[in-house]
Amino acid sequence: MNRFIAYSLAGALVASPLAAQDQEPEESGGFLVGFLEDTLSDENRQISVIGLEGALSSSATIKQIAVSDADGVWLTIDNAVLDWNRLALVQGRFSVNALTADAISVVRSPNPMPPDPELPTPEATPFQLPDLPVSVELGKIQVGKIDLGQDLLGTAASLSLNGSLKLADGALDSDLLVARLDKPGDLLRLDASFVNATSVITLDLTLEEAANGLVSAALDLPGRPTVRLSAQGTGPVENFNANIELDTNGTRRLGGKVVLSALETADPETPKSIAFSADLGGNIDPLLPPDYRPFFGEGIRANLKGHNAPDGRITLDNLVLRTQAMQLTGALALAPGGVLETANIKTAITPPTGQAAVLLPVAGGATTVAGVELTAHKTASSDWQVIALLDQLSHSSMSLANAQLKATGTLDQSDGLALTGDVQAALTGVNPADPALAQALGS
């Protein structure tokens, strides 16, 4: 049905009278402008299309596209040109010789979109490229200038974009290059492909920037160092390895590997589960504010192992995150559709040797603790339990000598999330910073 609609649209476009190309912009593009604005806009996002010409020709131009929300315009695209092959639509191909724009300006992040309660929860499925009604070929993608406002990432930047993309017959092939115009040499290159028939993944991602670059500023890295990030790998989903490396100022800070592999089955005809694992480690202290370094220390390690079943079930067999002050271990299982079946999480925070407390890397002001123990369990029978112990918490708004919490109950996920249970808690040494509140609570 989708292909029939696409081919009907293609026929209508190709068979349109040539005289339509010579009409005034309002006549030739007025209907399409209204269709685009009405279709893409909603109560939280407004799309404005200005100066559409040649809507039915092989070279369509748009003077400006503006995207706004309740706080005003946050994205503009100037002088966009679509140079495409209309006749290719009859053959089921959306073939574009060039998709270009003179400039794009992003002054800030858009306001977050509220969740749509009417949308169903998507079910997990093995990764496959979408079967589009037409193949997509973008021979040339080019934006001469992309201006990023300071409010977006903490620093203003001017970029260019060049590349190509092809999505056809269950295969994706993309090649993109983003380069800084105001800091020559800083760039992001992505060469990625995937083929449904062979399940072969090719990934080559490289980010390079000199000192005081966009990434180091956006992440507020101390000293604004040089940054180099790479992720490279190739192979089928059943045997894929990718190496990840992060360097700053020419020194390796984080490195590791991501692996995908097939789990053997007794019946060769039975679809195989895909096992996944990741092992990352290094010394990220130089990338952190000095106050947070005692928490992480010079060696951080992150490991995870699990598998994804053909029916969409995901099992995380082992999760480990270790820093100088924290040890987190766990496992969990998700049924198809993302329903939590079982979980077993344990976390402990202990200050480094010689320190009475450690600063937590959390927002909301300086928060220190002398110790934390947390366990969380969820069984297949929907029972859950959380036990937490907290020792010597200090925050600008309150200090706490000791806290003990035990909560048990059931979790019903048959129709949304229904959490029921009992909570037992004991607090000692509560000392609010607000004098009025302290007086009201008493000892």
Side-chain angles (χ1 to χ4, degrees):
M1 183 65 180
N2 287 337
R3 293 183 183 275
F4 174 79
I5 295 174
Y7 295 158
S8 299
L9 176 61
L13 288 174
V14 174
S16 297
L18 294 178
Q21 302 178 25
D22 299 324
Q23 293 175 343
E24 292 299 319
E26 178 62 29
E27 294 182 48
S28 61
F31 172 78
L32 186 56
V33 167
F35 175 79
L36 291 173
E37 292 182 342
D38 293 342
T39 303
L40 299 179
S41 299
D42 57 31
E43 61 182 18
N44 299 298
R45 178 187 60 234
Q46 295 77 46
I47 308 296
S48 174
V49 179
I50 302 172
L52 172 62
E53 297 185 10
L56 303 178
S57 72
S58 60
S59 182
T61 62
I62 301 177
K63 185 177 181 180
Q64 187 179 81
I65 300 174
V67 184
S68 59
D69 53 26
D71 293 334
V73 175
W74 61 271
L75 169 67
T76 57
I77 303 173
D78 294 324
N79 297 324
V81 178
L82 173 66
D83 183 352
W84 65 309
N85 303 311
R86 292 183 301 159
L87 290 176
L89 278 178
V90 179
Q91 302 171 334
R93 294 185 301 115
F94 178 59
S95 176
V96 176
N97 299 319
L99 178 61
T100 65
D102 286 352
I104 296 177
S105 176
V106 186
V107 297
R108 58 174 173 83
S109 299
N111 293 335
M113 299 286 288
D116 189 345
E118 300 299 325
L119 292 178
T121 301
E123 294 188 1
T125 58
F127 178 73
Q128 289 278 291
L129 294 173
D131 182 18
L132 300 179
V134 295
S135 62
V136 177
E137 301 174 11
L138 303 181
K140 178 182 179 181
I141 304 172
Q142 180 178 348
V143 180
K145 187 177 182 181
I146 304 174
D147 289 323
L148 304 182
Q150 184 171 352
D151 292 341
L152 186 65
L153 296 174
T155 184
S158 181
L159 315 173
S160 66
L161 170 65
N162 291 276
S164 62
L165 183 145
K166 182 177 181 180
L167 179 57
D169 302 323
L172 168 69
D173 189 5
S174 62
D175 184 5
L176 299 173
L177 173 64
V178 180
R180 284 284 297 267
L181 297 175
D182 51 347
K183 280 180 95 296
D186 290 11
L187 58 85
L188 172 66
R189 183 186 299 277
L190 173 63
D191 184 359
S193 63
F194 181 80
V195 181
N196 281 346
T198 61
S199 296
V200 172
I201 304 170
T202 299
L203 173 65
D204 187 353
L205 170 69
T206 301
L207 167 70
E208 295 182 353
E209 66 174 28
N212 298 306
L214 185 61
V215 172
S216 63
L219 298 179
D220 196 20
L221 300 183
R224 302 293 190 268
T226 66
V227 177
R228 183 183 185 277
L229 171 67
S230 68
Q232 297 178 327
T234 184
V237 171
E238 297 183 351
N239 185 23
F240 176 78
N241 292 264
N243 293 312
I244 300 174
E245 299 174 347
L246 173 63
D247 301 345
T248 64
N249 287 338
T251 301
R252 181 65 38 82
R253 304 302 183 190
L254 192 67
K257 182 174 291 188
V258 175
V259 177
L260 303 177
S261 61
L263 298 178
E264 296 299 327
T265 60
D267 182 3
E269 301 299 323
T270 302
K272 299 178 180 179
S273 295
I274 300 298
F276 56 85
S277 66
D279 184 5
L280 300 172
N283 177 14
I284 64 171
D285 267 12
L287 310 182
L288 303 170
D291 290 343
Y292 289 140
R293 292 174 186 176
F295 182 90
F296 290 95
E298 296 184 358
I300 182 174
R301 203 77 196 177
N303 306 88
L304 68 85
K305 292 182 179 180
H307 61 276
N308 186 6
D311 63 356
R313 185 180 306 273
I314 299 175
T315 302
L316 186 59
D317 300 306
N318 188 33
L319 168 65
V320 178
L321 176 59
R322 289 192 176 95
T323 72
Q324 182 171 247
M326 184 184 73
Q327 292 195 24
L328 183 152
T329 61
L332 59 84
L334 300 175
V339 174
L340 179 64
E341 286 190 330
T342 61
N344 185 9
I345 308 294
K346 296 182 179 180
T347 304
I349 298 177
T350 305
T353 302
Q355 295 189 16
V358 63
L359 179 67
L360 300 181
V362 296
T367 303
T368 64
V369 294
V372 174
E373 293 182 15
L374 172 68
T375 61
H377 303 279
K378 160 70 171 61
T379 67
S381 61
S382 298
D383 294 332
W384 62 267
Q385 181 185 72
V386 175
I387 299 176
L389 302 175
L390 179 64
D391 187 28
Q392 298 296 327
L393 179 141
S394 177
H395 185 267
S396 59
S397 63
M398 182 188 68
S399 62
L400 180 67
N402 183 268
Q404 300 181 27
L405 180 145
K406 182 178 181 180
T408 59
T410 59
L411 174 62
D412 184 0
Q413 303 173 83
S414 59
D415 185 17
L417 291 176
L419 187 69
T420 60
D422 298 318
V423 177
Q424 299 177 8
L427 307 178
T428 59
V430 180
N431 185 18
D434 186 299
L437 180 58
Q439 182 178 2
L441 288 177
S443 61

